[in-house]
Amino acid sequence: MPLVVGDIMKLLCSVSEARKMKAAVKHSGRGALVTGAVAFVGGLVGGPPGLAVGGAVGGLLGAWMTSGQFKPVPQILMELPPAEQEKLFNQVTAIVQNLEWTDAVQLTMLVMGSEALQQRLLTLLVGYITKELQAEVQYGD
């Protein structure tokens, strides 16, 4: 049966939901900008001591801004642009092409029943998220 991009996205959502995967895109550039801006203002207001205090406060603020912004992977997958979904579709198709199935529900059941297939899809998904989306992956609650 021919595969449809939406079916593959649902399959990946099922696999990532089962592992309670979340991902956070790192905004290190924004954190560095905040750190530098607060240090600069501290230096203008308080001279050298203000620069030190501003750098410390800015560093803490920058770290706080860039942490804890995790979203569920299924949500991220469904929000991907069509071109990125197509890229994932092609990679997943290479993994599941030899399976015998009649519809997307049966394909999902086959994958969810096989730890080896789940692991292959998870490896692919984590690789995609870390390389293409430059995000950090977290499992569990």
Side-chain angles (χ1 to χ4, degrees):
M1 178 173 189
L3 290 169
V4 180
V5 173
D7 292 340
I8 292 298
M9 290 298 108
K10 288 177 187 170
L11 172 64
L12 290 174
C13 287
S14 295
V15 171
S16 61
E17 264 179 34
R19 303 296 168 103
K20 298 180 180 170
M21 291 174 67
K22 297 178 192 170
V25 178
K26 299 175 185 172
H27 299 286
S28 57
R30 186 171 47 175
L33 184 65
V34 168
T35 301
V38 173
F40 177 73
V41 170
L44 286 176
V45 173
L51 182 64
V53 170
V57 171
L60 290 172
L61 184 60
W64 174 76
M65 284 178 58
T66 60
S67 67
Q69 299 172 350
F70 283 88
K71 288 171 61 174
V73 168
Q75 179 183 347
I76 293 169
L77 291 173
M78 297 314 276
E79 292 173 355
L80 286 175
E84 293 300 311
Q85 288 186 355
E86 185 74 30
K87 190 185 295 186
L88 267 174
F89 170 81
N90 292 332
Q91 294 174 354
V92 172
T93 302
I95 293 173
V96 299
Q97 67 185 353
N98 295 326
L99 296 177
E100 292 185 29
W101 50 278
T102 55
D103 61 10
V105 173
Q106 186 182 20
L107 176 61
T108 301
M109 286 176 37
L110 283 170
V111 169
M112 297 309 284
S114 168
E115 187 64 34
L117 278 174
Q118 284 183 55
Q119 198 56 50
R120 287 181 68 189
L121 290 176
L122 285 169
T123 301
L124 176 138
L125 197 51
V126 168
Y128 176 82
I129 290 170
T130 54
K131 278 190 238 167
E132 299 294 326
L133 303 180
Q134 297 174 349
E136 176 186 341
V137 177
Q138 183 182 64
Y139 295 90
D141 294 326

